[in-house]
Amino acid sequence: MNNPTVLEVVTPSFSPLYQQIKALILQSLKAGKWKPGEPIPSEMDLAARFRVSQGTVRKAIDELASENLVVRRQGKGTFVATHAEHQVQYRFLKLVPDVGDTDAEGPAQRTIVDCKRQRASADVARALALRTGDSVLKVRRVLAYAGIPTILEDLWLPGTPFKGLTAERLRASRGPMYALFETEFGVHMVRAKEKIRAVLPDALQSKLLDVPAGMPLLSVERVAHTYNDAPMELRRGLYRTDTHHYRNELG
Amino acid sequence: MNNPTVLEVVTPSFSPLYQQIKALILQSLKAGKWKPGEPIPSEMDLAARFRVSQGTVRKAIDELASENLVVRRQGKGTFVATHAEHQVQYRFLKLVPDVGDTDAEGPAQRTIVDCKRQRASADVARALALRTGDSVLKVRRVLAYAGIPTILEDLWLPGTPFKGLTAERLRASRGPMYALFETEFGVHMVRAKEKIRAVLPDALQSKLLDVPAGMPLLSVERVAHTYNDAPMELRRGLYRTDTHHYRNELG
DNA sequence: CAGTGGTCTAGACCACTGG
DNA sequence: CAGTGGTCTAGACCACTGC
């Protein structure tokens, strides 16, 4: 009767009220009941709706806030998190210049190299939870700082949710790509996982980044997820790390 | 009268009670009043001492727990966090095998290549908040998985707190190095910052890792801090990323 | 000023651990 | 069983925002 691989040997059989409230709010977020940037109902309001005390709603919202799904602003309200605010330009980009800081460096110059529809290869399909051969959008772009190409990115997006995305549309947009996804396609990335390696560029890559073929680069493979933890983007980045570095904080 | 670089233009002039309580507990932690692995007083106990309600102590401890300084265990108590428990072998090491998981891979085979006292160079001194020429300990070691050398690490430690650390002592210890630091030298690392780059190894490095000179490697420079945010270790790691990768989660 | 999130309390009860 | 952390409540008051 032992079951070593399953964590919950007995039924969970207990879920705190605030977790249930959290799940309900989360459901509304997923359903798009409140749009990114908009306020959600006040704590008192939600407490009244769910027939619980303010403290219980508060704890639910606390967790959502700590997961960056929602932002609290004292005196104003609680707002659905968004990538479309000038706050931090790129929330998931951890590459910073060796000298000075990201602010001093200013925004990147972005060049869309390519944007086309194609069929998902096996590994792309697996990363995006699609089937091999499903339609995906592939984007390739270069980010430059002070005129120096620094990042080369390949992106794959599932075809259906991103129907209508074109190179022109990408070139026309200002601000983070994730902001565009949010406002134009209703896709809000909330979490991401990265796998980082050191690699050498192939001929085309070294040409696009204007670096020698023998220069080691950081390979950053990112899968970004939307609310339901559904993977909605696969991104493979090549970073120059002779003038910049990937910064990580461990707690 | 303007002061653009300072955040608090006006005085802070307000600090919640629970923050003050948190600071008091933190002070006891720094002072080593309770040792890693030991329980701190119960919430009720602390509440009585500080003449506040349980809820206020609770919120203080909540923050300490979320910073991994303390671990809560329902029914048992709240314990000072420690690196010396089999839980997670290496809390700050984010390199994982491409196939299988860290558990399946098992513990690393560790080889201390070198351990000697030397004078701090300018950059080492800066990282450790020492003066150039101050005495530091330098350790070099190799970690291997399944017999394959995978990580080459250079460590610099300030000489004074780590007086008495020798290669023999390192070789004799089992478990994480941070556990040894904790039990033998009373130094508990709580936070760390990493700068990650892609590099090529020099001749000696490629020999120690048994990789070709042209193989790109991940360079991970870590500064680990103890309670007061004092830097207590500089570590430069070279990771093979042909069989492993650095895994990071973004929220 | 009213409305929001943020703090604090006192007390009740629940879930888990160990003797 | 007593003691621990974990949940929940109801109500008071504080700090901040905007009108």
Side-chain angles (χ1 to χ4, degrees):
Chain A
M1 219 12 232
N2 67 28
N3 191 340
T5 62
V6 171
L7 285 175
E8 298 162 335
V9 179
V10 290
T11 17
S13 81
F14 171 68
S15 170
L17 235 193
Y18 77 88
Q19 287 287 6
Q20 302 175 36
I21 304 296
K22 180 186 170 188
L24 288 172
I25 299 175
L26 200 46
Q27 214 171 340
S28 295
L29 284 173
K30 288 180 191 172
K33 190 166 175 178
W34 313 299
K35 299 268 170 281
E38 290 180 5
I40 72 174
S42 76
E43 294 178 356
M44 288 307 244
D45 188 336
L46 290 169
R49 289 194 207 189
F50 297 134
R51 312 296 194 90
V52 298
S53 76
Q54 187 212 9
T56 300
V57 169
R58 206 175 157 66
K59 181 140 188 181
I61 295 180
D62 274 347
E63 293 209 349
L64 294 171
S66 78
E67 292 166 29
N68 296 313
L69 300 184
V70 116
V71 177
R72 321 189 78 133
R73 278 180 238 170
Q74 180 169 162
K76 299 170 82 171
T78 301
F79 299 78
V80 182
T82 174
H83 292 269
E85 259 156 35
H86 39 46
Q87 340 166 1
V88 185
Q89 272 292 10
Y90 298 97
R91 214 180 94 199
F92 289 162
L93 181 58
K94 313 205 60 164
L95 194 72
V96 299
D98 289 338
V99 295
D101 61 4
T102 306
D103 290 340
E105 181 174 56
Q109 299 95 50
R110 300 168 305 168
T111 311
I112 305 294
V113 177
D114 202 20
C115 174
K116 63 185 176 207
R117 228 155 244 287
Q118 57 181 213
R119 309 232 149 257
S121 63
D123 59 333
V124 168
R126 186 158 27 80
L128 294 178
L130 302 173
R131 281 164 310 185
T132 305
D134 280 357
S135 168
V136 294
L137 241 128
K138 184 186 172 189
V139 180
R140 166 166 280 186
R141 70 164 179 175
V142 174
L143 299 186
Y145 294 98
I148 301 172
T150 306
I151 299 178
L152 169 62
E153 283 183 325
D154 285 327
L155 286 77
W156 290 265
L157 302 164
T160 314
F162 288 95
K163 180 158 30 183
L165 181 60
T166 63
E168 290 67 42
R169 191 71 203 76
L170 282 168
R171 274 188 267 264
S173 89
R174 259 183 302 278
M177 208 178 267
Y178 289 144
L180 178 72
F181 294 171
E182 209 172 87
T183 55
E184 299 293 313
F185 304 94
V187 175
H188 182 193
M189 308 299 188
V190 296
R191 253 181 300 284
K193 294 183 186 180
E194 293 188 334
K195 294 182 184 182
I196 306 173
R197 290 185 170 81
V199 301
L200 293 178
D202 63 28
L204 178 53
Q205 289 165 342
S206 74
K207 182 170 165 241
L208 285 166
L209 277 175
D210 191 27
V211 297
M215 177 187 262
L217 299 171
L218 214 57
S219 158
V220 179
E221 177 174 310
R222 177 195 302 166
V223 178
H225 301 255
T226 188
Y227 285 118
N228 351 284
D229 284 306
M232 284 297 264
E233 181 202 56
L234 170 64
R235 190 182 287 221
R236 292 197 178 128
L238 278 186
Y239 299 178
R240 277 187 76 152
T241 55
D242 52 337
T243 56
H244 292 65
H245 61 270
Y246 185 104
R247 168 190 261 161
N248 203 19
E249 320 236 327
L250 312 178
Chain B
M1 217 16 228
N2 66 27
N3 192 340
T5 62
V6 170
L7 285 174
E8 298 162 336
V9 179
V10 291
T11 18
S13 80
F14 170 67
S15 170
L17 234 193
Y18 77 89
Q19 287 286 6
Q20 303 175 35
I21 304 296
K22 179 185 170 188
L24 288 172
I25 299 176
L26 200 46
Q27 214 172 338
S28 295
L29 284 173
K30 287 181 191 172
K33 190 165 173 180
W34 313 299
K35 298 269 170 282
E38 289 179 3
I40 72 174
S42 75
E43 295 179 356
M44 289 307 244
D45 188 338
L46 290 169
R49 288 193 208 189
F50 297 135
R51 311 295 193 90
V52 299
S53 76
Q54 188 211 9
T56 301
V57 169
R58 206 174 158 65
K59 182 141 189 180
I61 296 181
D62 274 347
E63 293 210 349
L64 294 171
S66 79
E67 292 166 30
N68 296 312
L69 300 183
V70 115
V71 176
R72 321 188 78 135
R73 279 180 236 169
Q74 181 170 162
K76 299 170 81 171
T78 301
F79 300 77
V80 182
T82 173
H83 292 269
E85 259 156 35
H86 38 45
Q87 340 165 1
V88 186
Q89 272 293 8
Y90 298 98
R91 214 179 95 200
F92 289 162
L93 180 58
K94 312 203 64 164
L95 193 71
V96 298
D98 289 339
V99 295
D101 60 5
T102 306
D103 291 337
E105 181 174 54
Q109 298 94 50
R110 302 168 304 168
T111 310
I112 305 294
V113 177
D114 202 20
C115 174
K116 64 184 175 207
R117 229 155 242 286
Q118 58 181 213
R119 310 232 149 257
S121 63
D123 59 332
V124 168
R126 186 158 26 82
L128 293 178
L130 302 173
R131 281 164 310 185
T132 304
D134 280 356
S135 168
V136 294
L137 240 128
K138 183 184 171 189
V139 180
R140 166 167 279 186
R141 70 164 179 175
V142 174
L143 298 186
Y145 294 98
I148 301 172
T150 306
I151 299 178
L152 169 62
E153 285 184 324
D154 286 326
L155 286 74
W156 290 264
L157 302 165
T160 315
F162 288 95
K163 180 157 31 181
L165 181 60
T166 62
E168 291 66 42
R169 192 70 202 78
L170 283 168
R171 275 189 266 264
S173 89
R174 259 182 304 276
M177 207 178 266
Y178 289 145
L180 178 72
F181 294 172
E182 210 172 271
T183 54
E184 300 292 312
F185 304 95
V187 175
H188 183 194
M189 308 299 189
V190 297
R191 254 181 300 284
K193 294 184 186 180
E194 292 187 335
K195 295 183 183 181
I196 305 172
R197 291 184 169 82
V199 301
L200 293 177
D202 63 28
L204 178 53
Q205 289 165 340
S206 74
K207 182 169 165 244
L208 286 165
L209 277 174
D210 191 27
V211 297
M215 176 188 263
L217 299 171
L218 215 57
S219 157
V220 179
E221 177 175 309
R222 176 196 303 167
V223 178
H225 301 254
T226 189
Y227 285 118
N228 350 285
D229 284 306
M232 285 296 265
E233 181 201 57
L234 170 63
R235 191 182 287 221
R236 291 195 178 130
L238 279 185
Y239 299 177
R240 280 187 73 153
T241 55
D242 53 338
T243 56
H244 292 65
H245 61 270
Y246 185 104
R247 168 191 260 163
N248 203 20
E249 320 237 329
L250 312 177

